[in-house]
Amino acid sequence: MLDELFERLEKQDRLALARLLTLVAREEQLDVIRSRAGKRPEKTRVVAITGNAGVGKSTLVGKLAEYLRSQGQSVAILACDPQSPLTGGALLGDRVRMPSRPDDPGIYIRSVAAASGHQAVAEHVDVMIRVLGRYGFDVVLLETVGAGQGDTAVSELADVVVLLVQPESGDELQWEKAGLLEVADVVVVHKADLAGADRTEGQVKELLSLPGCRKIAVLRVSSTKGEGFEALWQAVLESPRHAAAADEDARELLRRAQEILAERFHRQGDRVGNVIDRWKRQELDEAQAADELLQLLAR
Ligand SMILES: Nc1nc2c(ncn2[C@@H]2O[C@H](COP(=O)(O)OP(=O)(O)OP(=O)(O)O)[C@@H](O)[C@H]2O)c(=O)[nH]1
Ligand SMILES: [Mg+2]
């Protein structure tokens, strides 16, 4: 059955997509689906949108998705909520504030919840991202509540983490405490149409200018006015962590290559031993031994 579902998934069959994600949500055949979906394709960009309750994550995710659609990119949205049980369409529609367009095959919205908490959410999200990648989405947006620990777990799955803060609320910078700045790659002062956005932007920049801080873009966005989305997406594309994801691919390749080499070494065991013996007897120096080993490995 999974084979057929994956076949249909690769032909952009929405029902197959929904069915697979439901299996993941029910933790049925999770491991099989994970390995069947494989590593997510390089073109699929995963962006986490995080921040305190009410900061406007759902609104911004909806507007960002619209912006990306207007740029011709296909977008999947996963609304991650560790608290609530899996929600139905009506509630979800409220959570991700987006005009639902069932006729648009370039957009897909789904909530992720798990009764067993943060860790399970992260695991589900991981497998869902792979499935969405296999379907062929250009961008996956994750809406996650900035709740500290579990949030970090979800963040690890994203190429770029965008932290939303809003103008406010006394002198106390709540989000600083949550340690979220440590995982943020881009900070958005959201609701920039409200008074005090300048001041908040200044505070964030000051905080980030402390010695030892990573370079993090800070910019203002207003979802209400639809302002700042182009700059936001540009910042996402330029985020150093996104570049780091490419490095990770390189590391993955090197790791696999090492495994292959180790296996060849193993197969050539006697001859490798012979080279080592001659090196020990100083019949070969390091460079000569290396050359001989290379010849063995090339076979
Ligand atoms: N002034 C202003 N208000 C906004 C903006 N974006 C969102 N809001 C308002 O902020 C409130 C919260 O928005 P949501 O998008 O539900 O926030 P959220 O972060 O998803 O909230 P939770 O999912 O409950 O954590 C709503 O009343 C929005 O209308 C904005 O750009 N400017
Ligand atoms: Mg929300």
Side-chain angles (χ1 to χ4, degrees), residues 52-59 95 97 143 145 190-194 221-224:
N52 290 338
V55 73
K57 297 178 293 295
S58 301
T59 315
R95 290 154 42 95
R97 285 159 210 276
E143 179 189 341
V145 180
H190 194 213
K191 308 190 186 180
D193 51 288
L194 297 181
V221 174
S222 166
S223 290
T224 310

Side-chain angles (χ1 to χ4, degrees), residues 27 82 114-121 124:
E27 311 203 352
S116 39
H118 284 314
Q119 208 48 50
V121 169
H124 291 186

Side-chain angles (χ1 to χ4, degrees), residues 281-292:
R281 291 199 297 268
Q282 296 185 346
E283 291 167 24
L284 302 171
D285 64 19
E286 272 92 5
Q288 288 167 327
D291 283 342
E292 289 210 15

Side-chain angles (χ1 to χ4, degrees), residues 24-25 27 29-34 78 80 112-114 116-131 150 153-154 157:
V24 174
E27 311 203 352
Q29 298 181 277
L30 206 53
D31 290 335
V32 189
I33 295 175
R34 180 191 286 110
L78 295 179
C80 312
V112 195
S116 39
H118 284 314
Q119 208 48 50
V121 169
E123 195 185 3
H124 291 186
V125 170
D126 174 32
V127 181
M128 286 182 179
I129 288 172
R130 289 164 187 249
V131 171
V154 172
L157 302 167

Side-chain angles (χ1 to χ4, degrees), residues 159-231:
D159 297 319
V160 177
V161 176
V162 177
L163 170 67
L164 307 192
V165 300
Q166 58 183 336
E168 54 165 336
S169 44
D171 297 322
E172 194 72 46
L173 298 180
Q174 298 288 339
W175 21 274
E176 178 191 5
K177 280 191 187 149
L180 280 171
L181 282 175
E182 280 170 35
V183 296
D185 304 295
V186 175
V187 176
V188 164
V189 177
H190 194 213
K191 308 190 186 180
D193 51 288
L194 297 181
D198 290 1
R199 180 165 165 267
T200 303
E201 187 187 7
Q203 285 175 322
V204 174
K205 282 188 168 158
E206 198 179 334
L207 193 72
L208 292 177
S209 70
L210 293 177
C213 269
R214 289 177 300 135
K215 196 177 167 319
I216 298 176
V218 181
L219 40 108
R220 282 184 281 166
V221 174
S222 166
S223 290
T224 310
K225 291 194 168 173
E227 285 170 6
F229 285 91
E230 204 178 328

